[in-house]
Amino acid sequence: MSEQNKRVVMAYVDAFNRGDLDGVCALFAGDALIHGVLGWGGLEAARPIWGDLMRCFQVSLEVDGVVSEGDAVAVRYTERGRSVAAFRGGPVTGRDYELIAIEWFVVKEGHIERRWGVRDASSMFRQMGLPTPYDEAWPAS
């Protein structure tokens, strides 16, 4: 089961790296719960955030390590990207970023049921020369 679950998570990574938002979402159970830097919720909450990350920052995930046991899969990445489009009304700098990110998944019956993501979003924005959502300089929406 662990190997099958790893394949589901690697399909998620591949779809994310292709910028295939529909492909990413198809790997999740309909009632999946997704935790991340900007909060938590179901696919309806995560989908627009992931779409923005793909479109605005061209996020790329390089797998540095995978651990799998039972229905749990943990992945450590080197995440890279570049500011290429306005993220939530902010400026575009064309600058790159690189950081370590970690995601933990619970996979059951071939679908991701839970996902927790951890990345240093402040470092990401700083490297690209962008205000973080917590800065006073962040544009009002």
Side-chain angles (χ1 to χ4, degrees), residues 9-20:
V9 171
M10 292 302 102
Y12 160 90
V13 172
D14 290 340
F16 212 99
N17 285 342
R18 288 191 316 272
D20 180 0

Side-chain angles (χ1 to χ4, degrees), residues 10-90:
M10 292 302 102
Y12 160 90
V13 172
D14 290 340
F16 212 99
N17 285 342
R18 288 191 316 272
D20 180 0
L21 183 56
D22 290 335
V24 168
C25 292
L27 294 164
F28 284 79
D31 63 348
L33 187 56
I34 302 156
H35 299 263
V37 173
L38 297 177
W40 61 274
L43 280 171
E44 71 283 349
R47 186 180 179 90
I49 295 168
W50 290 336
D52 285 346
L53 292 173
M54 290 173 182
R55 183 179 52 79
C56 300
F57 302 134
Q58 296 179 335
V59 174
S60 173
L61 305 172
E62 179 183 334
V63 175
D64 297 323
V66 180
V67 176
S68 179
E69 183 175 322
D71 61 4
V73 180
V75 185
R76 181 176 46 86
Y77 308 102
T78 299
E79 178 181 317
R80 294 178 181 91
R82 172 178 288 158
S83 172
V84 295
F87 180 76
R88 300 188 171 192

Side-chain angles (χ1 to χ4, degrees), residues 90-91 125-126 129-139:
F125 281 86
R126 248 188 334 271
L130 297 170
T132 68
Y134 314 107
D135 289 341
E136 290 180 23
W138 185 258

Side-chain angles (χ1 to χ4, degrees), residues 1 4-6 8-9 27 70-73 105-114:
M1 188 58 86
Q4 290 174 329
N5 291 343
K6 280 171 48 175
V8 170
V9 171
L27 294 164
D71 61 4
V73 180
F105 302 87
V106 173
V107 181
K108 294 186 180 174
E109 298 179 12
H111 288 92
I112 300 167
E113 289 196 351
R114 301 288 182 265

